[in-house]
Amino acid sequence: MLTKEEVLDILPQKPPFRFVDRLVELEETRAVGEYTFRRDEVFYAGHFPGDPITPGVILLEAMCQTGLVALGIHLLGLEVPRSEVEKTVTLFTESEVEFQRVVRPGETVRVTAERLLWRRGKLRSSVALTLDDGTPVAQGVVAGMGVRRELP
């Protein structure tokens, strides 16, 4: 079984496109991750000048990085050795998400994901995105599939 730190190490997304600072929980049916949006994130310069908010697609990416990629790495790590997990990348396949609130620079979000389906490398998760104080931001269902990648 991989530790939370090993899962973060294997996560293929790297800064500036990693939106998981820490994994708070990682179990067979659940993952919880947190990320603090830095005030100097490059996308704030254009979204929107003078009144920056985090783009919805970035919030969706944060939900997927915890609810699909990290949870998928953990689940695959229960089945195969780390060397095989490292040869797999999770590709996004679908989502249905509703947004309720904007996220501002400097705010910390928490992604809580519950596994709905895990079969033959396909993962579907129910995800909820909240601020660190519990204020709801978005919720829905995301899905992805692990595929073997060619490493350089």
Side-chain angles (χ1 to χ4, degrees):
M1 185 166 89
L2 299 169
T3 66
K4 292 182 275 192
E5 293 75 21
E6 288 174 312
V7 169
L8 276 177
D9 184 52
I10 295 171
L11 206 74
Q13 291 87 353
K14 304 297 181 203
F17 205 74
R18 175 179 283 177
F19 303 109
V20 183
D21 287 329
R22 65 203 142 277
L23 290 168
V24 179
E25 294 179 39
L26 196 54
E27 302 168 10
E28 196 169 334
T29 60
R30 176 179 164 91
V32 178
E34 293 181 336
Y35 183 75
T36 300
F37 284 96
R38 296 180 329 274
R39 295 181 188 285
D40 65 347
E41 304 271 10
V42 68
F43 45 80
Y44 289 135
H47 198 267
F48 297 98
D51 187 26
I53 63 170
T54 308
V57 68
I58 298 295
L59 298 176
L60 177 60
E61 179 69 23
M63 290 187 281
C64 289
Q65 285 184 15
T66 293
L68 294 178
V69 184
L71 183 55
I73 288 169
H74 174 69
L75 292 170
L76 189 58
L78 296 174
E79 299 172 2
V80 300
R82 179 181 172 146
S83 61
E84 288 302 308
V85 175
E86 291 173 338
K87 295 175 186 174
T88 303
V89 64
T90 302
L91 300 179
F92 173 79
T93 58
E94 63 184 287
S95 70
E96 186 173 329
V97 175
E98 292 185 20
F99 294 89
Q100 301 157 307
R101 181 193 187 285
V102 300
V103 173
R104 301 275 180 190
E107 291 187 310
T108 298
V109 296
R110 176 176 274 223
V111 176
T112 302
E114 301 284 341
R115 182 188 80 190
L116 298 174
L117 170 83
W118 170 250
R119 183 175 58 230
R120 294 189 306 269
K122 178 154 180 141
L123 177 60
R124 183 176 296 118
S125 296
S126 171
V127 291
L129 181 71
T130 63
L131 295 182
D132 58 352
D133 67 1
T135 302
V137 174
Q139 77 283 325
V141 175
V142 294
M145 180 171 217
V147 297
R148 190 169 178 88
R149 65 179 172 159
E150 295 298 320
L151 297 174

